[in-house]
């Protein structure tokens, strides 16, 4: 980035909230109680009041890179107290692209990345300029909510490549007030630059980015509460993303990622914490495919470094934990808690050490695609856990429901169940699939993942399409890579994704060797998953929600289980396969092989003549 603006150094004015106003004693080394499954509570509260009273407010907290699988929620007592105990935890919530910018654009538009075509963090395939170029800045959630009668506010990280140079070309549309943290300072924990409304960027050198954000959040919340209309407030802290170190601000190639920097009041916490030693942690044998399979096992120094990296993530998260409590306290004092929905989630998950990976995301493993997801609000059962499959694509439709707006046809997802009645009705009828997709490169953060020259390590050909299927009968992950590799994990028996069944299934010599998944021959299951992926990889709107309908227009197949009926074996055996022509860094359709599946037609010709 050249020509950086001269940035005014400004003090924040008022004192920062110390986060202790409503807090219990500081978190200690004993992990807090995790979200627990509690018996369902009765609730009949309607979402949008029909009596003419004001529609509910929405406060949406979107953190950066927080994991679910590495137990980060054991270290966030306030989030657990205010959101888990007072709200509902969505235990099977997934992102559809495990990378900040594509995931956020999908979240704020309600569309899969193949429909936003924002697939990367930087141009030409991603970042704020691509978001603008694709027309999303004129057609996205905050604008829709404003048109629907809401006042809209946002502070924190919006997208990557939203910078001190391009923030006004054009300005972000759709917010009544905003205060964005901008690149290249987004990940500089102690040197953030924020940019308010149409003002010039302001440098908060020496202040912790989450504390700056907390003050801004509470200010915007006061403004929002003072308004006449219901409001949406987006709050996007950078924690616990890794920290960016720039040796030279005029040379954007001279950066490196290091562990996140906690607020100093938290830097001593959790001295004993370490990455959970699950069976997939730094395994003795390589796992996965492609570049992951070629990774060397980490040595003891690397594991120790990554454990400290992990502790610093937990420490950096503490300021977010305090912020959540501050938000709840402010809403409570304004008597707004009973007509405000609070959402809490992350843009993607994170891995450290699993499958020998160094700190990062961008993979399709559970660590990267599963994220924490809480909702608290009127009608939402307290202390409850939902196991229906939900994704970030479902969030825009969910916010529409809360606002009482009719869902857009272009939405690729459906509203999440919020009330006890909806949760009950959804069980068994909701979709069982998650359409995971990725284009481009993968990279590591942290010192030990670095290339020999000290720069960031990147791996090419990290382009893949994948499916997660979660139902009472099946728990599967299937992926097809641009390198023509495939993965199939049966998580019922292999929850840590260490045994790829696909090579055995594909090997003709293994036919009939009795590999089964959920009681069915594994090759039969694989043929159905591939066909489902064929539909989903270019689905739009209703096709993304009910993909089996495309394959079976008669409407008699609505799940993997239905599709496994023997009478469909020949149809699936002759189905077109998902494959790539070659690897690309973005969504180049020509490289992505066949696009259209065969459609099942009854062969009872007498019906037709
Ligand atoms: C927020 O912006 C919308 C759209 O411009 C406008 O209609 C509304 O009056 C604004 N609200 C406030 C409180 O200014
Ligand atoms: C551990 O591995 C790293 C590479 O990841 C290497 O740079 C370092 O020298 C190794 N340390 C020891 C003690 O072998
Ligand atoms: C990436 O894939 C292309 C084929 O699409 C291949 O030519 C190239 O060697 C691969 N690169 C790496 C680093 O695997
Ligand atoms: C996605 O964007 C890239 C970069 O602008 C473009 O080359 C590609 O054709 C687009 N893909 C689709 C399907 O529109």
């Amino acid at each position: 980035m050249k020509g950086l603006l001269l940035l005014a150094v400004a003090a924040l004015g008022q004192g920062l909230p110390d986060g202790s106003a409503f807090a219990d004693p500081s978190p200690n080394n004993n992990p807090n109680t995790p979200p627990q499954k509690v018996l369902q509570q009765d609730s009949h509260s309607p979402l949008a009041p029909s009596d003419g009273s004001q529609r509910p407010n929405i406060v949406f907290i979107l953190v950066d890179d927080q994991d679910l699988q590495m137990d980060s929620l054991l270290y966030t007592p306030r989030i657990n107290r205010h959101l888990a105990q007072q709200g509902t935890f969505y235990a099977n919530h997934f992102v559809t692209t495990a990378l900040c910018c594509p995931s956020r654009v999908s979240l704020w538009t309600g569309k899969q990345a193949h429909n936003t075509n924002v697939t990367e963090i930087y141009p030409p395939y991603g970042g704020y300029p691509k978001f603008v170029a694709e027309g999303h800045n004129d057609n996205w959630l905050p604008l829709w909510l404003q048109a629907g009668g809401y006042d809209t506010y946002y502070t924190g990280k919006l997208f990557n490549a939203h910078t001190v140079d391009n923030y006004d070309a054009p300005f972000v549309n759709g917010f009544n007030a905003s205060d964005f943290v901008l690149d290249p300072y987004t990940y500089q924990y102690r040197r953030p630059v924020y940019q308010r409304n149409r003002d010039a960027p302001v440098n908060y050198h020496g202040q912790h980015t989450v504390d700056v954000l907390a003050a801004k959040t509470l200010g915007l919340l006061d403004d929002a509460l003072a308004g006449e209309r219901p409001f949406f407030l987006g709050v996007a802290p950078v924690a616990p993303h890794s920290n960016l170190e720039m040796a030279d601000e005029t040379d954007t190639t001279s950066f490196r990622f290091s562990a996140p920097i906690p607020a100093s009041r938290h830097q001593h916490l959790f001295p004993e914490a370490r990455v959970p030693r699950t069976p997939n942690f730094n395994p003795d044998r390589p796992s996965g495919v492609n570049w992951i399979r070629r990774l060397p096992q980490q040595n003891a120094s690397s594991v120790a470094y990554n454990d400290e990296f992990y502790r610093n993530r937990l420490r950096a998260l503490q300021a977010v934990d305090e912020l959540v409590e501050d938000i709840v306290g402010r809403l409570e004092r304004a008597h707004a808690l009973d007509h405000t929905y609070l959402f809490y989630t992350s843009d993607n998950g994170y891995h450290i050490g699993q499958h020998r990976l160094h700190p990062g995301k961008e993979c399709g493993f559970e660590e990267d695609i599963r994220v924490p997801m809480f909702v608290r609000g009127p009608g939402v059962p307290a202390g409850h856990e939902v196991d229906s499959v939900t994704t970030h694509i479902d969030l825009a439709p969910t916010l529409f429901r809360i606002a009482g707006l009719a869902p857009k046809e272009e939405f690729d997802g459906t509203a999440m169940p919020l009330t006890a009645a909806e949760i009950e009705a959804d069980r068994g009828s909701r979709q069982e699939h998650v359409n995971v997709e990725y284009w481009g490169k993968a990279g590591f953060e942290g010192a030990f993942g670095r290339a020999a020259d000290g720069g960031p390590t990147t791996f090419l050909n990290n382009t893949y399409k994948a499916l997660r299927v979660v139902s009472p009968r099946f728990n599967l992950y299937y992926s097809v890579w641009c390198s023509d590799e495939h993965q199939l994990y049966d998580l019922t028996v292999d929850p840590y994704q260490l045994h790829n069944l696909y090579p055995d299934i594909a090997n003709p010599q293994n036919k009939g060797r009795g590999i089964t998944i959920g009681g069915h021959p594994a090759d039969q299951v694989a043929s159905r998953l591939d066909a489902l992926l064929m539909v989903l990889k270019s689905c739009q709107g209703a096709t993304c929600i009910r993909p089996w309908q495309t394959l079976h227009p008669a409407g008699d197949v609505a799940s993997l289980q239905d599709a496994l009926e023997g009478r469909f074996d020949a149809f699936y055996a002759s189905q077109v396969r998902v494959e790539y022509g070659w690897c690309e860094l973005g969504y180049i359709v020509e490289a992505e092989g066949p696009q259209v599946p065969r459609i099942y037609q009854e062969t009872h010709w007498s019906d037709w003549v």
Side-chain angles (χ1 to χ4, degrees):
M1 179 169 324
K2 44 188 166 37
L4 283 184
L5 297 177
L6 257 188
L7 300 163
V9 178
L12 203 59
Q14 312 141 316
L16 290 168
D18 64 3
S20 56
F22 316 99
D24 278 358
S26 285
N28 53 38
N29 300 337
N30 301 321
N32 201 267
T33 319
Q36 287 189 351
K37 201 158 193 153
V38 176
L39 276 186
Q40 191 169 300
Q41 307 208 343
D42 223 10
S43 170
H44 304 286
S45 317
L47 288 185
S50 51
D51 61 0
S53 64
Q54 190 156 28
R55 287 175 294 165
N57 308 310
I58 298 160
V59 176
F60 199 115
I61 302 153
L62 179 62
V63 299
D64 204 325
D65 284 1
Q66 185 180 352
D67 64 275
L68 178 66
Q69 299 296 91
M70 294 190 299
D71 293 348
S72 63
L73 290 176
L74 297 184
Y75 300 87
T76 53
R78 297 170 184 84
I79 289 168
N80 295 344
R81 177 152 12 94
H82 297 294
L83 302 181
Q85 289 168 24
Q86 297 301 318
T88 286
F89 174 64
Y90 292 78
N92 282 310
H93 188 87
F94 296 88
V95 303
T96 53
T97 302
L99 184 62
C100 313
C101 183
S103 182
R104 287 165 187 247
V105 173
S106 285
L107 199 172
W108 301 130
T109 59
K111 293 180 197 133
Q112 291 276 157
H114 69 254
N115 289 330
T116 67
N117 201 6
V118 178
T119 58
E120 251 288 0
I121 54 176
Y122 296 120
Y125 300 116
Y128 180 60
K130 179 67 162 157
F131 169 81
V132 171
E134 289 291 330
H136 302 306
N137 194 33
D138 301 312
N139 187 29
W140 67 313
L141 187 79
L143 285 171
W144 301 330
L145 288 176
Q146 275 186 339
Y150 271 64
D151 291 336
T152 55
Y153 302 86
Y154 193 99
T155 184
K157 171 178 161 186
L158 185 63
F159 303 128
N160 306 82
H162 183 212
T163 74
V164 293
D165 290 328
N166 71 12
Y167 71 90
D168 57 352
F171 283 108
V172 173
N173 281 335
F175 295 110
N176 288 82
S178 61
D179 212 331
F180 302 116
V181 65
L182 295 180
D183 277 356
Y185 303 96
T186 307
Y187 305 120
Q188 303 198 33
Y189 274 76
R190 294 211 157 276
R191 216 168 53 154
V193 170
Y194 282 79
Q195 185 271 318
R196 184 179 159 86
N197 298 338
R198 308 224 148 191
D199 304 347
V202 173
N203 186 341
Y204 292 89
H205 200 133
Q207 299 183 46
H208 193 271
T209 189
V210 181
D211 289 339
V212 175
L213 178 92
K216 292 176 179 302
T217 299
L218 298 178
L220 288 174
L221 190 52
D222 282 345
D223 293 349
L225 285 162
E228 312 243 291
R229 312 205 299 175
F231 66 83
F232 166 90
L233 168 63
V235 181
V238 162
H241 193 285
S242 54
N243 179 62
L244 181 99
E245 291 171 24
M246 267 175 102
D248 173 0
E249 277 182 38
T250 58
D251 174 11
T252 48
T253 59
S254 71
F255 68 87
R256 49 170 58 180
F257 283 116
S258 53
I261 300 176
S264 43
R265 62 188 180 280
H266 300 132
Q267 63 193 10
H268 63 287
L269 292 172
F270 317 128
E272 309 293 330
R274 56 176 207 165
V275 180
R277 297 308 199 251
T278 46
N280 61 358
F281 180 81
N282 203 24
D284 290 341
R285 281 182 301 161
S287 50
V289 295
N290 203 344
W291 59 272
I292 299 159
R293 196 165 188 86
R294 295 192 287 270
L295 292 172
Q297 193 171 29
Q298 294 181 24
N299 62 29
S301 338
S302 176
V303 169
Y305 170 91
N306 285 338
D307 277 335
E308 178 64 10
F309 193 105
Y310 174 77
R311 286 188 284 277
N312 279 317
R313 283 170 50 84
L314 300 176
R315 294 163 182 156
L317 203 48
Q318 298 309 302
V320 176
D321 196 48
E322 292 171 354
L323 172 58
V324 168
E325 182 153 273
D326 290 346
I327 292 171
V328 171
R330 189 63 61 100
L331 287 168
E332 200 162 32
R333 272 181 286 148
H335 307 291
L337 209 43
D338 65 345
H339 54 279
T340 301
Y341 285 89
L342 280 146
F343 285 73
Y344 180 97
T345 191
S346 175
D347 53 1
N348 49 253
Y350 209 73
H351 55 244
I352 301 180
Q354 299 80 20
H355 306 279
R356 304 181 171 182
L357 294 157
H358 289 276
K361 52 265 183 180
E362 300 151 350
C363 297
F365 295 120
E366 294 288 89
E367 287 77 14
D368 293 12
I369 62 173
R370 277 186 187 269
V371 289
M373 179 75 233
F374 294 105
V375 185
R376 169 182 181 169
V380 179
H384 191 62
E385 186 174 313
V386 164
D387 50 17
S388 292
V389 173
T390 55
T391 78
H392 272 18
I393 307 295
D394 298 326
L395 285 163
T398 307
L399 303 189
F400 261 50
R401 272 218 53 215
I402 289 172
L405 305 173
K408 291 187 165 281
E409 238 170 70
E410 64 204 73
F411 282 157
D412 294 333
T414 47
M416 294 158 58
L418 294 178
T419 64
E422 287 170 359
I423 291 165
E424 193 50 44
D426 233 44
R427 188 168 286 153
S429 69
R430 197 175 176 84
Q431 71 218 27
E432 61 189 9
H433 65 270
V434 180
N435 179 198
V436 179
E437 41 193 8
Y438 199 91
W439 294 263
K441 296 176 271 191
F444 289 150
E445 301 160 14
F448 279 80
R450 238 164 245 162
D453 64 1
T457 306
T458 48
F459 301 97
L460 293 172
N461 296 350
N462 195 52
T463 296
Y464 58 83
K465 304 201 180 284
L467 258 185
R468 201 55 185 86
V469 172
V470 183
S471 69
R473 190 73 179 257
F474 296 104
N475 192 3
L476 304 172
Y477 178 82
Y478 174 65
S479 68
V480 180
W481 289 64
C482 68
S483 56
D484 199 31
E485 288 159 290
H486 294 64
Q487 284 166 288
L488 178 54
Y489 300 108
D490 181 357
L491 282 87
T492 304
V493 294
D494 178 24
Y496 295 99
Q497 301 175 295
L498 288 166
H499 189 59
N500 181 8
L501 297 172
Y502 196 87
D504 283 344
I505 297 169
N507 180 351
Q509 293 183 337
N510 277 322
K511 271 230 173 274
R513 257 182 59 189
I515 311 172
T516 60
I517 295 175
H520 296 269
D523 58 332
Q524 301 288 2
V525 176
S527 69
R528 271 64 167 183
L529 292 174
D530 195 274
L532 181 61
L533 187 56
M534 175 65 84
V535 177
L536 289 172
K537 77 187 180 99
S538 57
C539 69
Q540 284 191 311
T543 358
C544 299
I545 299 161
R546 286 179 296 279
W548 293 108
Q549 186 108 30
T550 298
L551 295 162
H552 297 271
D556 52 347
V557 173
S559 65
L560 176 58
Q561 182 65 44
D562 294 346
L564 279 164
E565 273 185 41
R567 65 189 167 116
F568 302 132
D569 285 354
F571 166 67
Y572 281 103
S574 70
Q575 184 56 274
V576 187
R577 300 263 175 250
V578 176
E579 60 183 10
Y580 291 82
W582 62 91
C583 291
E584 283 283 359
L585 293 172
Y587 183 26
I588 309 301
V589 172
E590 297 71 37
E592 300 203 351
Q595 296 293 313
V596 184
R598 293 215 176 95
I599 308 301
Y600 182 77
Q601 286 169 329
E602 297 286 346
T603 47
H604 305 296
W605 295 105
S606 55
D607 293 351
W608 293 86
V609 287

